[in-house]
Amino acid sequence: MDEKLRIIISGGGTGGHIFPAVSIANAIRAKRPDAEILFVGALGRMEMQRVPAAGYEIVGLPICGFDRKNMLKNIAVLYKIWKSQRMARNIIRRFRPMAAVGVGGYASGPTLNECAKHGVPCLIQEQNSYAGVTNKILAKKVERICVAYDGMERFFPADKIMKTGNPVRQSLLDTKMTKAEALRSFGLDEGKKTILVVGGSLGARTMNESVMQHLDDIKASGVQMIWQTGKYYNASISESLKGRTDLPMLKVTDFISDMGAAYKAADIVISRAGASSISEFCLIGKPVILVPSPNVAEDHQTKNAMALVNKDAALYVSDADAPAQAVALALKTVKDDARLAALGANIKKLALPDSADTIADEVIRLALNGGKVGR
């Protein structure tokens, strides 16, 4: 306990990478308040704002992804990768980390690659049921690979895998609100069934079209809805709804700051199938209709969704079918108490609690043991 821990955490790009990263950092700090934790992210990406807001220092690399449509632009990308490797090397020499954590995203590649070269023990956390390219490349160089799904040995060496689940936002689990209080906080009726529609912090066109095409069905159903449009779409949706004073059951907002209250208020959720969101639904036992985004690498959201659907732990609607089917399915299911109970019980069985604590213990062990992993 004498030596102060120095830990690098790298990655980001989306909330699905950033929330687990911050959760792991919080768990490390709770166990070792003396720990120095440095984040390494990608300049211009979400982590450069979210990480400092969570109370941690972050350094940005000029890294970005390859442009598959315009190959000439990749000359600049290759230069940025080279520059990021050099910057990562300097960060490691200056900070002298005792262990490094990669959560996926552009920055984790050069950072963990350089850490491994310098003999720093590394751990990667793969959130999805289909491994990302960066983590597959790094797998040979790291000591431990923390996963959330079974069958990940098809991507990674089996002896390095540790099934931990995905860390989630602790605030979702800590909410003390009752369902009635949560509904009141949104100005909704305590006696009505409630559907929550979320498409991520930026929203999702498909989810919004799904609601817009079924406004009259929602009005006639006796059901109420919390609808997060996303900031990008909110102005146009608000304009379209201007004349619809007959929809008091529709709570429309660009962004929900208290997702714990939103989940508590909802009887069922319509959501994308990001790994972090799925882990949250598992931990709180929330019935969900998953609409995987088609705009992700290797179609991994569909694979995430089917891992639940195959265990009758979630319902599935494809992105193409969602405008016609998602809200209709939600309106039908939300009135079927037996179906809701079965979905809630089945998804709860898949929960892996204490994920951040488990990963933090492993990071600390790697740091103190110089990379030696107990089998």
Side-chain angles (χ1 to χ4, degrees), residues 239-294:
E239 185 65 28
S240 299
L241 294 174
K242 250 184 185 174
R244 297 299 302 262
T245 56
D246 57 335
L247 297 171
M249 75 297 295
L250 209 58
K251 174 66 178 180
V252 185
T253 180
D254 63 338
F255 180 73
I256 298 170
S257 57
D258 189 349
M259 284 304 299
Y263 285 156
K264 184 73 79 171
D267 294 287
I268 192 168
V269 183
I270 304 174
S271 171
R272 289 305 201 189
S276 289
S277 296
I278 286 177
S279 293
E280 291 170 357
F281 300 138
C282 290
L283 284 165
I284 62 177
K286 186 61 60 177
V288 60
I289 297 169
L290 296 171
V291 182
S293 171

Side-chain angles (χ1 to χ4, degrees), residues 24-352:
I24 293 166
N26 290 342
I28 292 170
R29 187 159 279 177
K31 295 170 186 294
R32 291 289 298 263
D34 64 316
E36 289 185 35
I37 299 173
L38 176 67
F39 279 75
V40 180
L43 289 171
R45 305 289 287 186
M46 192 188 297
E47 59 265 27
M48 300 307 294
Q49 286 77 45
R50 295 284 179 87
V51 169
Y56 293 98
E57 181 185 354
I58 187 168
V59 179
L61 304 179
I63 189 87
C64 62
F66 283 101
D67 191 324
R68 290 178 173 82
K69 294 179 181 175
N70 188 339
M71 298 308 290
L72 285 176
K73 287 186 178 179
N74 289 326
I75 296 170
V77 173
L78 288 169
Y79 172 72
K80 288 180 179 179
I81 292 171
W82 174 80
K83 187 175 180 182
S84 294
Q85 291 277 172
R86 283 189 59 190
M87 289 177 66
R89 191 177 310 136
N90 290 334
I91 290 166
I92 291 155
R93 285 173 177 164
R94 185 175 68 250
F95 185 69
R96 295 180 299 112
M98 298 162 67
V101 180
V103 296
Y106 298 136
S108 64
T111 305
L112 266 72
N113 192 43
E114 286 298 322
C115 281
K117 282 183 186 176
H118 285 76
V120 178
C122 299
L123 174 151
I124 55 177
Q125 201 256 327
E126 174 56 62
Q127 294 101 18
N128 293 294
S129 61
Y130 194 94
V133 173
T134 300
N135 279 348
K136 283 191 278 190
I137 293 169
L138 289 170
K140 296 173 186 174
K141 304 176 182 181
V142 306
E143 279 68 35
R144 184 62 89 198
I145 302 166
C146 296
V147 302
Y149 292 89
D150 293 323
M152 297 302 286
E153 27 326 299
R154 68 192 191 276
F155 304 112
F156 304 129
D159 63 337
K160 294 184 178 183
I161 292 174
M162 182 177 186
K163 190 177 177 186
T164 60
N166 289 325
V168 302
R169 293 170 283 185
Q170 193 60 37
S171 59
L172 299 180
L173 308 178
D174 291 343
T175 181
K176 299 293 191 293
M177 274 190 181
T178 64
K179 183 175 182 180
E181 288 169 341
L183 286 164
R184 284 200 297 272
S185 74
F186 287 98
L188 294 173
D189 190 328
E190 295 172 34
K192 289 185 176 180
K193 293 284 190 175
T194 306
I195 299 168
L196 169 65
V197 180
V198 285
S201 57
L202 298 177
R205 180 183 297 164
T206 300
M207 311 295 244
N208 293 333
E209 288 176 355
S210 300
V211 179
M212 288 299 294
Q213 290 186 24
H214 292 271
L215 293 176
D216 291 334
D217 295 328
I218 296 165
K219 177 184 173 183
S221 69
V223 169
Q224 56 196 2
M225 182 176 285
I226 302 168
W227 176 14
Q228 180 182 277
T229 63
K231 293 184 179 179
Y232 182 80
Y233 300 101
N234 190 253
S236 61
I237 287 171
S238 297
E239 185 65 28
S240 299
L241 294 174
K242 250 184 185 174
R244 297 299 302 262
T245 56
D246 57 335
L247 297 171
M249 75 297 295
L250 209 58
K251 174 66 178 180
V252 185
T253 180
D254 63 338
F255 180 73
I256 298 170
S257 57
D258 189 349
M259 284 304 299
Y263 285 156
K264 184 73 79 171
D267 294 287
I268 192 168
V269 183
I270 304 174
S271 171
R272 289 305 201 189
S276 289
S277 296
I278 286 177
S279 293
E280 291 170 357
F281 300 138
C282 290
L283 284 165
I284 62 177
K286 186 61 60 177
V288 60
I289 297 169
L290 296 171
V291 182
S293 171
N295 306 312
V296 294
E298 309 286 356
D299 195 27
H300 69 248
Q301 285 204 6
T302 296
K303 297 174 176 75
N304 290 348
M306 296 315 295
L308 272 69
V309 172
N310 291 336
K311 296 180 180 179
D312 196 32
L315 302 176
Y316 164 82
V317 177
S318 72
D319 187 79
D321 292 336
Q325 297 178 13
V327 168
L329 180 58
L331 291 173
K332 175 186 173 185
T333 308
V334 79
K335 295 180 179 179
D336 186 341
D337 289 337
R339 188 74 180 114
L340 289 177
L343 287 167
N346 290 342
I347 199 169
K348 186 90 172 174
K349 290 175 189 173
L350 304 179
L352 289 167

